[in-house]
Amino acid sequence: MELTNLRNNSALMGEINRIAEVAGYLWTNGWAERNGGNISVNLTDLMSEEEKQLPAICAPIQLGEVMPAVAGHFFYVTGTGKRMRYVAQDPFDNGSIIRIAEDGKSYEIIAMQPIAPTSELPSHLLMHNYVRSQGRDNRVVLHTHPTNIIALSHCKPFLNSNHITRVLWSMIPECRIIVPKGIGIVPYEIPGSMDLARATVKQLEEHDVVLWEKHGILAVGEDLIECFDAIDTLAKSADIYLNARMAGFEPEGMTDKQLDDLVPVFNLPVK
Ligand code: 13P
Ligand code: ZN
């Protein structure tokens, strides 16, 4: 009998190609030095029952925390230490598909190769678990290292969620529209730690984008391109702000009224 070949699943491969596309954007934008950044995408709805039965290609690995809302779910995750520029070329050589156990306590790799998931897997899965437990249809977690946003996180006033959100929104109208919930802030924590994961999940109560002090940014969403667009728009605002400062002036920014006037026109949540 021929083994199930995930490469024949066009819906799934479409999503994998999307991951490769976005990995390329992260690299070309200069946000992905060496192995900087990681991506996870929930593939559960794209897989057939037969594909879901694929045998594990590694022993089960404990998660350290129970994740009931993603029990039995399947994710593509970039591999730890893998470079985004190579994820762009071959996602299955630089990441793997994992299955969360039915008790939500462990995972196993089912395809294509036994490539260990990103060190930020605790953060990613805790976030997937949280958004699903809230009934939100967010399938994607994207973490990357945008230079100018990280630069702002080295300046104390920008570690205030309202302040950084207000400044970045006020650089261009699109920022208020594309990132309507603004940015949450997580003070510095060790990369890959459960403390970082828990602090990030707390920020998701009010935000879809979270800044990790002196480290990077993270977005959750239904669609990987939308997550990328949210970070890209914030990065554009950070570029404008810092370019103005480097030119020697404090940018004026849009007024409160100009920002508020966008709310009814674009049906935005009031903040
Ligand atoms: P990984 O290579 O383990 O994904 O780590 C990269 C990173 O950005 C850690 O925050
Ligand atoms: Zn990182």
Side-chain angles (χ1 to χ4, degrees), residues 156-221:
K156 277 279 176 290
F158 286 104
L159 295 176
N160 173 294
S161 167
N162 288 335
H163 180 67
I164 191 169
T165 297
R166 175 72 180 72
V167 169
L168 295 181
W169 274 358
S170 78
M171 291 297 106
I172 40 170
E174 283 73 16
C175 198
R176 174 77 178 88
I177 297 163
I178 292 166
V179 194
K181 297 186 191 170
I183 310 186
I185 304 283
V186 171
Y188 182 81
E189 295 283 358
I190 293 178
S193 64
M194 277 320 277
D195 286 342
L196 178 59
R198 290 193 196 99
T200 308
V201 166
K202 188 97 195 78
Q203 292 302 312
L204 294 185
E205 290 168 13
E206 289 187 24
H207 307 280
D208 291 333
V209 181
V210 180
L211 174 62
W212 288 347
E213 179 185 354
K214 298 171 189 148
H215 177 164
I217 198 162
L218 186 145
V220 301

Side-chain angles (χ1 to χ4, degrees), residues 59-113:
I61 298 158
Q62 296 303 308
L63 286 169
E65 190 140 332
V66 190
M67 316 253 182
V70 291
H73 283 240
F74 294 76
F75 295 88
Y76 171 89
V77 279
T78 50
T80 185
K82 299 296 184 184
R83 292 158 171 84
M84 279 299 157
R85 58 188 189 269
Y86 298 152
V87 175
Q89 288 172 11
D90 190 343
F92 281 135
D93 225 10
N94 295 278
S96 51
I97 297 179
I98 64 169
R99 171 172 51 221
I100 312 296
E102 290 298 337
D103 63 6
K105 289 182 179 166
S106 63
Y107 72 89
E108 48 195 12
I109 300 171
I110 63 158
M112 297 285 192
Q113 306 175 52

Side-chain angles (χ1 to χ4, degrees), residues 1-265:
M1 192 183 82
E2 197 186 310
L3 276 177
T4 302
N5 185 348
L6 292 173
R7 288 184 198 270
N8 294 333
N9 179 334
S10 57
L12 183 119
M13 289 310 292
E15 196 65 38
I16 300 293
N17 289 339
R18 181 69 58 92
I19 292 165
E21 178 188 341
V22 168
Y25 299 158
L26 302 181
W27 166 247
T28 49
N29 275 4
W31 302 346
E33 74 291 342
R34 198 176 185 275
N35 60 311
N38 24 74
I39 301 171
S40 64
V41 178
N42 193 327
L43 301 173
T44 313
D45 291 343
L46 302 175
M47 293 174 64
S48 69
E49 287 312 311
E50 189 191 4
E51 288 164 345
K52 289 177 182 172
Q53 303 308 319
L54 277 169
I57 55 174
C58 75
I61 298 158
Q62 296 303 308
L63 286 169
E65 190 140 332
V66 190
M67 316 253 182
V70 291
H73 283 240
F74 294 76
F75 295 88
Y76 171 89
V77 279
T78 50
T80 185
K82 299 296 184 184
R83 292 158 171 84
M84 279 299 157
R85 58 188 189 269
Y86 298 152
V87 175
Q89 288 172 11
D90 190 343
F92 281 135
D93 225 10
N94 295 278
S96 51
I97 297 179
I98 64 169
R99 171 172 51 221
I100 312 296
E102 290 298 337
D103 63 6
K105 289 182 179 166
S106 63
Y107 72 89
E108 48 195 12
I109 300 171
I110 63 158
M112 297 285 192
Q113 306 175 52
I115 291 172
T118 169
S119 57
E120 302 290 3
L121 192 68
S123 279
H124 282 245
L125 289 182
L126 219 55
M127 279 183 269
H128 283 290
N129 186 63
Y130 172 75
V131 290
R132 282 206 71 87
S133 71
Q134 298 300 300
R136 283 156 64 176
D137 191 22
N138 293 17
R139 296 183 311 108
V140 175
V141 176
L142 170 61
H143 164 58
T144 185
H145 298 171
T147 313
N148 278 349
I149 297 179
I150 298 172
L152 292 181
S153 84
H154 285 261
C155 176
K156 277 279 176 290
F158 286 104
L159 295 176
N160 173 294
S161 167
N162 288 335
H163 180 67
I164 191 169
T165 297
R166 175 72 180 72
V167 169
L168 295 181
W169 274 358
S170 78
M171 291 297 106
I172 40 170
E174 283 73 16
C175 198
R176 174 77 178 88
I177 297 163
I178 292 166
V179 194
K181 297 186 191 170
I183 310 186
I185 304 283
V186 171
Y188 182 81
E189 295 283 358
I190 293 178
S193 64
M194 277 320 277
D195 286 342
L196 178 59
R198 290 193 196 99
T200 308
V201 166
K202 188 97 195 78
Q203 292 302 312
L204 294 185
E205 290 168 13
E206 289 187 24
H207 307 280
D208 291 333
V209 181
V210 180
L211 174 62
W212 288 347
E213 179 185 354
K214 298 171 189 148
H215 177 164
I217 198 162
L218 186 145
V220 301
E222 290 175 28
D223 177 275
L224 185 54
I225 295 286
E226 277 174 21
C227 287
F228 172 79
D229 286 341
I231 295 174
D232 194 33
T233 307
L234 289 164
K236 174 74 167 226
S237 282
D239 284 353
I240 296 166
Y241 178 79
L242 289 173
N243 277 339
R245 294 298 304 256
M246 282 188 278
F249 65 95
E250 176 76 30
E252 191 171 88
M254 295 165 65
T255 64
D256 284 341
K257 178 165 181 342
Q258 286 170 336
L259 285 169
D260 290 345
D261 285 349
L262 296 171
V263 172
V265 178

